[in-house]
Amino acid sequence: MGARLHSTDQVIKGLAEVFREHGFQGASLAHISKATGLGKGSLYHAFPGGKDDMAAAVLADIDAWFESHVFAPLNDADVPASKSIDHMLDACVDYFHGGGRVCLVGVFALSDTRDSFEDTVNGYFHRWADALSAALRRSGHSRALARSMTEDVLAGIQGGLVIARAFDDNGYFEREIKRLRARLKAC
Amino acid sequence: MGARLHSTDQVIKGLAEVFREHGFQGASLAHISKATGLGKGSLYHAFPGGKDDMAAAVLADIDAWFESHVFAPLNDADVPASKSIDHMLDACVDYFHGGGRVCLVGVFALSDTRDSFEDTVNGYFHRWADALSAALRRSGHSRALARSMTEDVLAGIQGGLVIARAFDDNGYFEREIKRLRARLKAC
DNA sequence: GTCTATAAAGCGATAGAC
DNA sequence: GTCTATCGCTTTATAGAC
């Protein structure tokens, strides 16, 4: 039973949990009501647009977290690039619970839900890529190499999450992060 | 609508298309009926267990394709390891339409559908990992390095598919394959 | 702001004619 | 083997009391 946590933030956390577990289509209002502790009436009062509004709110929450915890440090010229990159990988391990939590943006990217949230999904990965590329350029890499490494790292993170979940093995994700860290240092 | 392609193989191809596009939950019998050209009665005659049976048939079809086109060559000691690995990457670009087609096994791994098909999902990636590791060992790498490279490659492929779809950019996947190919050669 | 009751539509699945 | 008609249930969403 949802432990009646009705602050806006807690509701969004509950929503995120349901969408991550069941995907957009599988997240029924019955599941959502149970996870948030709110009845349908309350949910539609808070999110007049229904599930679409709820998912948009969750995505905006995720986006804001990554913006402040990951993208901003990467873009900050006052932070040493190597430090902000290390911090990015630490933040990923934390955020994705060492591989036990899927990336909702990635899940949406793979589903037909993608069409409804195309700009948000696109923007999330785009800003991540731009920020990491900027940090890599600050650490002396060419534009082309920075871009290539960035693409490789984003794929490694998302793929690590997919396979960690397929194997139900968080270690898989953590080893992938370790490999990415080494590769980013070595270049 | 569906161009009345009622051979078993064509039906399974239609099913696969629907599951890839909409996921398991989003693949309604209406969609499935349209894509296969078969009515509900015919579908339940062919798949008495309903959607679960249909998805299982699709997964078995995918599994068989990879087994014969990818895993078997990788395991074949008579084929030079470098050749079977190159062939694996070519097969992936072909099969996933250069990044425009998602990996249904990966999609299922991320969804709560995973629980229903746990063994199949697990087995698919496990046999892939074992086959690639075997090829890498034949090409002279230590057990540990072969395993690490294998994990990195599988993550790169799956992650490349996720982000290529997020950006709607097949080039992303193809560049990731190129990077993996270079890394596998360089080691 | 939260709830219950209810509407209207779509769902997976089945029955039975052909 | 394929179809149509139908069942029973769940779905999203709304209305209205409190």
Side-chain angles (χ1 to χ4, degrees), chain B residues 146-167:
Chain B
R147 204 72 208 172
S148 181
M149 289 169 70
T150 293
E151 290 191 351
D152 196 45
V153 168
L154 290 198
I157 292 170
Q158 291 297 312
L161 290 171
V162 171
I163 309 223
R165 184 125 167 78
F167 285 156

Side-chain angles (χ1 to χ4, degrees), chain A residues 112 151-152 172 175 183, chain B residues 22 151-152 172 175 183:
Chain A
D112 60 351
E151 289 191 352
D152 196 44
Y172 197 108
R175 292 192 294 276
R183 215 181 298 154
Chain B
H22 300 285
E151 290 191 351
D152 196 45
Y172 197 108
R175 291 191 294 277
R183 214 180 298 156

Side-chain angles (χ1 to χ4, degrees), chain A residues 21-22 25-26 109-110 112 114 122 125 148 151-152 154-155 159 163 165-167 172 175-176 179 183, chain B residues 21-22 25-26 109 112 114 122 125-126 148 151-152 154-155 159 163 165-167 172 175-176 179 183:
Chain A
E21 189 171 346
H22 300 286
Q25 317 231 29
L110 287 181
D112 60 351
R114 197 197 77 98
N122 205 292
F125 286 120
S148 181
E151 289 191 352
D152 196 44
L154 290 198
I163 308 222
R165 184 125 165 79
F167 286 157
Y172 197 108
R175 292 192 294 276
E176 178 65 18
R179 282 186 288 269
R183 215 181 298 154
Chain B
E21 190 171 345
H22 300 285
Q25 317 232 26
D112 59 352
R114 197 197 78 97
N122 205 291
F125 287 120
H126 208 110
S148 181
E151 290 191 351
D152 196 45
L154 290 198
I163 309 223
R165 184 125 167 78
F167 285 156
Y172 197 108
R175 291 191 294 277
E176 179 65 19
R179 282 185 288 269
R183 214 180 298 156

